[in-house]
Amino acid sequence: MIEEFYIQSSFSEEAKLHVRIKSSGLSFNNPTILLHGRNLPPQYSYDFELSGKSAADVLSQNDITCIMPTCLGFGKSTKLSENRYEDWYRDIKDVISFLETTRGINKFNIVGWSSSSVPALMIASRMPEKINSVIIYGITKHYFVQGHVLEQKPFFFYNPDQLFFRRQKDIPADRKDEI
């Protein structure tokens, strides 16, 4: 089952957050908030089909309710010129509040990927009563100056040509144009 919502953001009256939910049915078992990274909103990360299924499809078929919010400034949510970790934290709190009110859910799992790892950890540390478990992966390295993020760098650096080669190296030559 797929549901999509635009919910009110506490950022401003005009700001709306897009939330997509995939579940195996009418129950909200194992509610898991899947946070997107800085470059790809959920429809291109967790809910992008490969070989006919997305990661959210596989998770929901295994009785995990996938809650995929798009933070302000990304994807289908209201656009912003800037988005900081505190903004992501606020957006996630708004989604949690919406789901508590509309669905009666009061405990979540949370997955942070890349830049959303920090807001996932912020939620877990500031709202521990709401979080069952936290999974983070692909976290970026941060340099702090007087408590502010000065610079973010990934733990690894890649050459785009090498990445393109890696993605294509196993495709049969006669199918490269098609794929």
Side-chain angles (χ1 to χ4, degrees):
M1 184 163 100
I2 300 171
E3 299 176 90
E4 293 197 60
F5 304 95
Y6 284 92
I7 67 170
Q8 182 64 49
S9 169
S10 59
F11 175 72
S12 75
E13 286 292 320
E14 299 81 33
K16 303 284 188 230
L17 293 163
H18 179 257
V19 181
R20 183 174 171 93
I21 299 174
K22 276 195 173 181
S23 62
S24 59
L26 299 176
S27 62
F28 269 61
N29 294 327
N30 303 308
T32 302
I33 301 170
L34 302 171
L35 300 175
H36 61 82
R38 188 173 299 275
N39 294 326
L40 295 173
Q43 67 265 31
Y44 299 119
S45 52
Y46 299 110
D47 210 16
F48 187 77
E49 290 185 7
L50 295 171
S51 299
K53 289 186 182 180
S54 68
D57 292 330
V58 173
L59 290 169
S60 65
Q61 289 170 356
N62 286 283
D63 212 24
I64 295 171
T65 299
C66 298
I67 302 158
M68 298 171 280
T70 306
C71 293
L72 293 180
F74 297 93
K76 296 179 180 181
S77 291
T78 302
K79 303 300 177 225
L80 293 179
S81 59
E82 181 182 13
N83 194 302
R84 300 165 301 132
Y85 289 133
E86 286 292 333
D87 297 324
W88 282 23
Y89 170 74
R90 178 206 56 238
D91 293 347
I92 300 162
K93 276 181 38 180
D94 289 345
V95 170
I96 288 173
S97 177
F98 170 78
L99 292 168
E100 284 178 322
T101 303
T102 62
R103 304 299 168 133
I105 304 170
N106 55 17
K107 287 288 252 188
F108 300 87
N109 303 308
I110 191 163
V111 177
W113 167 50
S114 188
S115 293
S116 68
S117 295
V118 173
L121 292 170
M122 290 168 72
I123 287 287
S125 67
R126 295 178 185 176
M127 303 173 71
E129 72 284 357
K130 304 280 181 206
I131 303 300
N132 285 320
S133 62
V134 179
I135 299 170
I136 60 169
Y137 66 101
I139 191 170
T140 54
K141 184 175 182 181
H142 296 77
Y143 299 94
F144 292 92
V145 174
Q146 296 177 351
H148 298 283
V149 175
L150 173 67
E151 180 179 5
Q152 298 178 33
K153 291 184 178 181
F155 281 137
F156 63 92
F157 296 92
Y158 64 89
N159 177 329
D161 293 332
Q162 289 174 330
L163 182 63
F164 185 71
F165 172 77
R166 265 191 16 226
R167 289 187 180 260
Q168 289 198 9
K169 71 178 182 159
D170 296 324
I171 299 173
D174 60 331
R175 298 204 55 214
K176 279 191 180 184
D177 289 337
E178 170 192 352
I179 294 173

